[in-house]
Amino acid sequence: LASSAAFGAAVAAPAAPLVMGFSQVGAESEWRSANTASIKAAAKQDGVTLKFADAQQKQENQVKAIRSFIAQKVDVIAFSPVVESGWDTVLREAKAAKIPVILTDRAVNVSDPSLFVSFIGSDFVEEGRKAGRWLLERAAKNPGADLNIVELQGTVGSAPALDRKKGFEEVIAGNPKLKISRSQSGDFTRAKGKEVMEAFLKAKDKKIDVLYAHNDDMAIGAIQAIEEAGLKPGKDILIISIDGVKGAFEAMLAGKLNVTVECNPLLGPQLMQLAREVVAGKTVAKRITTLEGVFPAEVAAKELPNRRY
Ligand code: GZL
């Protein structure tokens, strides 16, 4: 009898299906698609019932989705906030409904930190610093040369755009010859990245030496604009970008991109684990930072087979 009881205990009943409402930014980039795939696969794997809403990069759609999850009385709400501000009201409604909220990927600026339980995501300031450090080292090979930098920012008001700019500028301040002459948002998309780079090139004020793009998709769009202007991307104009998606590795293999700073989208498994702990009432870390590296073109061929997104 004892052994069967022990056996019973050993084969734990499957965890009760947890219902998660997830509001995703959109489908604007390769990074975002990989992030969505990771979340959906992890929910399936973990037996989590996932209610998934794509906001098409509009904050009002995320607010609507969160309100709908509250009305459906989900066990937990998770979301990647398209911009940092404007969340206090809807998060207070979730708190009043006693539904815990987890942030993934991007942070929010709220007056009351108790409005979310935890934030899993990258350190975007550090990603910007890594991009700046690559350029500092590259510029040191040709000391004294002025380098005219143009910058494609991510979505206006988003944590990655604000922080990647901050980290990059903090580091390049170390070399007064490195100057950002133009900076505009390409909204993290290839199409807008190409459009804004065309405008930078048309301005024809100073020769552009470097492009710093806040994500690979905008860099890939800019590469098309640079080629259409008769210039060689990666040679006439050095290109630094962030994410580490497959498209960036292919561009580096083609000699058109010089370095990509990894930003890991594969947060799905961590998110499901964290959601279970939160719903079980366990104390969890307020901030969980994803580990990530830097991939210059020289390692692209070796690295490409290992890439999972
Ligand atoms: C970063 C993520 C950014 C990616 C872009 O964690 O929020 O949004 O860098 C994506 O590719 O659009």
Side-chain angles (χ1 to χ4, degrees):
L1 193 60
S3 63
S4 66
F7 177 73
V11 182
L18 180 143
V19 180
M20 174 186 286
F22 189 92
S23 167
Q24 179 61 293
V25 165
E28 72 282 2
S29 64
E30 280 185 60
W31 189 97
R32 187 65 55 197
S33 307
N35 180 245
T36 291
S38 172
I39 288 161
K40 288 183 172 174
K44 196 157 183 280
Q45 172 75 26
D46 205 80
V48 168
T49 303
L50 183 69
K51 293 173 179 301
F52 184 89
D54 174 332
Q56 288 146 2
Q57 288 187 283
K58 291 184 177 57
Q59 179 168 33
E60 65 266 23
N61 290 343
Q62 291 203 284
V63 171
K64 271 188 215 134
I66 292 170
R67 287 205 163 111
S68 152
F69 297 146
I70 293 170
Q72 295 175 67
K73 299 188 181 353
V74 298
D75 298 310
V76 60
I77 291 170
F79 75 115
S80 171
V82 61
V83 292
E84 285 193 337
S85 55
W87 302 102
D88 292 76
T89 304
V90 73
L91 293 183
R92 271 200 287 274
E93 291 166 22
K95 185 173 181 180
K98 299 196 182 354
I99 299 176
V101 174
I102 296 171
L103 299 183
T104 70
D105 166 28
R106 298 184 184 179
V108 295
N109 257 336
V110 286
S111 50
D112 168 5
S114 78
L115 289 177
F116 64 90
V117 178
S118 183
F119 163 39
I120 312 179
S122 304
D123 178 343
F124 300 132
V125 178
E126 186 54 23
E127 289 173 356
R129 291 194 191 103
K130 288 175 182 174
R133 286 185 205 121
W134 182 88
L135 186 56
L136 273 192
E137 282 164 36
R138 180 70 182 238
K141 292 181 183 146
N142 187 8
D146 285 314
L147 286 181
N148 172 31
I149 305 164
V150 293
E151 180 182 29
L152 284 172
Q153 293 182 33
T155 301
V156 176
S158 69
L162 295 165
D163 290 354
R164 286 172 182 168
K165 182 171 190 50
K166 187 171 158 210
F168 184 76
E169 287 177 343
E170 177 194 297
V171 168
I172 66 165
N175 178 345
K177 299 282 183 187
L178 305 184
K179 283 264 180 288
I180 298 178
S181 62
R182 288 175 178 278
S183 179
Q184 196 178 324
S185 176
D187 211 18
F188 284 130
T189 67
R190 291 189 181 200
K192 281 285 281 176
K194 179 177 182 188
E195 194 185 304
V196 174
M197 190 66 202
E198 282 165 352
F200 286 162
L201 289 162
K202 277 202 190 84
K204 287 203 185 308
D205 40 16
K206 264 189 299 184
K207 177 181 169 301
I208 297 170
D209 301 301
V210 182
L211 164 64
Y212 170 47
H214 290 184
N215 84 327
D216 294 334
D217 286 71
M218 293 190 293
I220 291 165
I223 284 169
Q224 289 164 13
I226 293 167
E227 289 181 317
E228 285 169 14
L231 296 169
K232 288 191 179 57
K235 295 173 183 57
D236 298 329
I237 298 178
L238 293 179
I239 305 180
I240 308 165
S241 78
I242 299 179
D243 276 352
V245 297
K246 271 205 182 65
F249 281 81
E250 286 150 5
M252 288 194 286
L253 283 177
K256 299 180 180 179
L257 177 70
N258 300 90
V259 59
T260 182
V261 174
E262 186 181 35
C263 177
N264 185 352
L266 307 179
L267 306 169
Q270 271 178 291
L271 171 60
M272 299 309 150
Q273 170 66 30
L274 179 62
R276 285 208 181 282
E277 288 168 5
V278 166
V279 171
K282 289 187 183 146
T283 306
V284 296
K286 189 77 178 172
R287 178 77 175 90
I288 301 166
T289 306
T290 26
L291 300 175
E292 38 210 37
V294 181
F295 298 95
E298 296 74 22
V299 305
K302 183 169 68 64
E303 264 305 309
L304 184 54
N306 308 329
R307 300 302 299 164
R308 296 186 298 149
Y309 64 92

